[in-house]
Amino acid sequence: MLRQNFLEELKKLENSLVEMGSTVKDMLEKSKKAIIDKDEALAKQVIDMDDIVDKYNWSIENNCLKLLALQQPMAHDLRVIAAAMKIISDIERMGDYCVDIAKFTIELIKLPLLPLNKNLTNMFELVEKMLCDSLDAFINRDINFILSVVDQDDAIDRTYYRIYDEVIEEIEHAPETAPQQVKYLMIARFLERIADHITNIAERIYYMETGELKELHE
């Protein structure tokens, strides 16, 4: 009976973690739409959603500690709890980066409009897919899928460096656009950091299933 109760509580914890990740996914999607549509109200909505992520973070961490204190988790269960505590930290930071993107979007809206860098839009989509896949990997515990999630980071890194080169070129060509271009570059940097945190999540899922702490992205 105690074991069954523990498994039920562990499942609730896992479901909450997925909900937390889905909230950040929603923030990321709204961030993209806000910058494409120049929608300040939507950007502010992203900022407000950070409180939801923070509440998930505290609640899940508290439940992890309760499970450790009140139960005697077996080896795999213990890894799930330990990994969950690290994963929620990465998800919380990803939410913070979405907020940063939203704040820069609001600043951009107040400046003379420039065409949106197509590679930046593409980068949003790549990061969104990587985040979706990482949540699926957590749910399904598929090692091969976890490794494929990590591989996606290379395309995101390449896109970031393309944006960097384009921004430098645009500033050299039209120095008056520097304030906007630098903000676009910073948004790309935030997306690149989100992808790094998703890689961390994939590594923790790998640890959950194999018991091996391994850096998967070379």
Side-chain angles (χ1 to χ4, degrees):
M1 189 63 179
L2 286 175
R3 176 65 182 166
Q4 184 60 35
N5 288 341
F6 172 81
L7 292 176
E8 289 174 1
E9 290 302 314
L10 188 60
K11 187 61 178 177
K12 288 179 185 177
L13 186 148
E14 293 178 12
N15 289 341
S16 294
L17 189 151
V18 172
E19 290 170 5
M20 182 184 181
S22 296
T23 301
V24 171
K25 175 178 170 287
D26 192 25
M27 291 172 71
L28 187 59
E29 291 171 349
K30 283 181 167 62
S31 296
K32 180 181 71 173
K33 184 171 174 53
I35 196 169
I36 290 173
D37 296 343
K38 310 294 187 292
D39 189 334
E40 184 172 348
L42 189 58
K44 288 180 178 177
Q45 186 178 336
V46 172
I47 295 170
D48 291 340
M49 290 175 72
D50 192 46
D51 289 339
I52 301 172
V53 176
D54 289 343
K55 286 176 183 176
Y56 270 117
N57 187 38
W58 286 110
S59 174
I60 295 170
E61 182 177 352
N62 187 50
N63 288 336
C64 285
L65 294 174
K66 281 183 179 179
L67 287 175
L68 289 172
L70 301 177
Q71 304 286 347
Q72 293 181 334
M74 301 171 81
H76 180 265
D77 300 332
L78 187 59
R79 291 202 303 270
V80 171
I81 295 169
M85 292 184 73
K86 296 293 290 184
I87 288 171
I88 59 173
S89 177
D90 282 299
I91 295 175
E92 192 270 337
R93 288 297 296 129
M94 288 156 55
D96 289 343
Y97 283 123
C98 288
V99 169
D100 290 335
I101 291 170
K103 289 179 178 178
F104 270 76
T105 297
I106 292 170
E107 292 178 11
L108 277 166
I109 291 169
K110 296 174 182 177
L111 294 171
L113 294 180
L114 293 180
L116 183 61
N117 187 303
K118 290 182 179 178
N119 277 318
L120 185 61
T121 305
N122 183 44
M123 194 172 182
F124 266 104
E125 292 169 355
L126 290 170
V127 175
E128 285 174 17
K129 182 179 185 307
M130 191 178 181
L131 177 53
C132 286
D133 287 352
S134 71
L135 295 176
D136 287 342
F138 179 80
I139 293 167
N140 298 317
R141 308 291 211 269
D142 185 328
I143 296 297
N144 290 328
F145 194 45
I146 291 166
L147 296 174
S148 75
V149 170
V150 174
D151 289 341
Q152 294 176 46
D153 192 44
D154 290 335
I156 291 167
D157 288 343
R158 289 194 299 269
T159 305
Y160 170 74
Y161 287 116
R162 279 198 294 270
I163 292 169
Y164 179 89
D165 291 340
E166 289 166 355
V167 163
I168 297 300
E169 184 178 337
E170 286 296 326
I171 291 175
E172 289 176 349
H173 176 70
E176 70 278 5
T177 68
Q180 296 97 314
Q181 297 293 351
V182 169
K183 286 177 173 57
Y184 281 139
L185 181 60
M186 286 302 301
I187 289 171
R189 177 60 175 164
F190 296 145
L191 289 170
E192 191 268 340
R193 292 297 297 132
I194 289 173
D196 287 343
H197 283 285
I198 298 171
T199 298
N200 291 346
I201 291 171
E203 290 174 351
R204 291 297 165 178
I205 300 169
Y206 185 89
Y207 162 72
M208 280 166 44
E209 294 309 298
T210 66
E212 181 182 3
L213 279 171
K214 182 178 179 181
E215 187 171 336
L216 300 178
H217 189 260
E218 297 179 359

